[in-house]
Amino acid sequence: QLQLVESGGGLVQPGGSLRLSCAASGLRFDGYPIAWFRQAEGKEREGVSCITSSGGAAIYGDSVKGRFTASRDNAKNTVYLQMNSLKPEDTAVYYCARSRTRMGCAITTDRGYDYWGQGTQVTVSS
């Protein structure tokens, strides 16, 4: 059984940075796109980023473009999300998820993902 575990969340001031990690165990996840979603209190889940299986390309939600960068190390079964210039509106629980297929990335819906982590809280506040 594949398990995904996020880490790296916390409290940061506006303008600060955090790096989230998503570590896989149980099965290798290379060969599959991995996405990041987030859910703020009282809001729907939102797609943040998705990185292809090779790590050669990534897509981002409009609200994080230019500030967030996804990367992956398949040898370590780990995907990262570098978050810079954080804003209070980035406050949310962040989840990583594995695509159901080996096809390309899409973050307009979370239906294409089968394995999810438990989430890590990111709070941006002064």
Side-chain angles (χ1 to χ4, degrees), residues 37-111:
F37 289 82
R38 68 185 183 185
Q39 189 165 21
E41 188 172 351
K43 296 188 177 181
E44 293 186 354
R45 189 174 290 175
E46 174 190 16
V48 175
S49 175
C50 179
I51 188 166
T52 58
S53 58
S54 67
I59 60 172
Y60 299 93
D62 289 342
S63 60
V64 306
K65 280 180 182 176
R67 300 188 296 122
F68 289 12
T69 303
S71 61
R72 67 190 294 165
D73 184 340
N74 286 334
K76 295 183 178 179
N77 272 3
T78 302
V79 170
Y80 305 97
L81 185 68
Q82 178 67 43
M83 306 187 297
N84 298 329
S85 302
L86 284 162
K87 305 175 181 180
E89 51 264 44
D90 294 318
T91 296
V93 178
Y94 284 70
Y95 301 89
C96 62
R98 194 196 77 167
S99 174
R100 294 181 186 275
T101 73
R102 296 175 182 264
M103 304 294 286
C105 284
I107 54 174
T108 54
T109 175
D110 61 6
R111 295 179 182 178

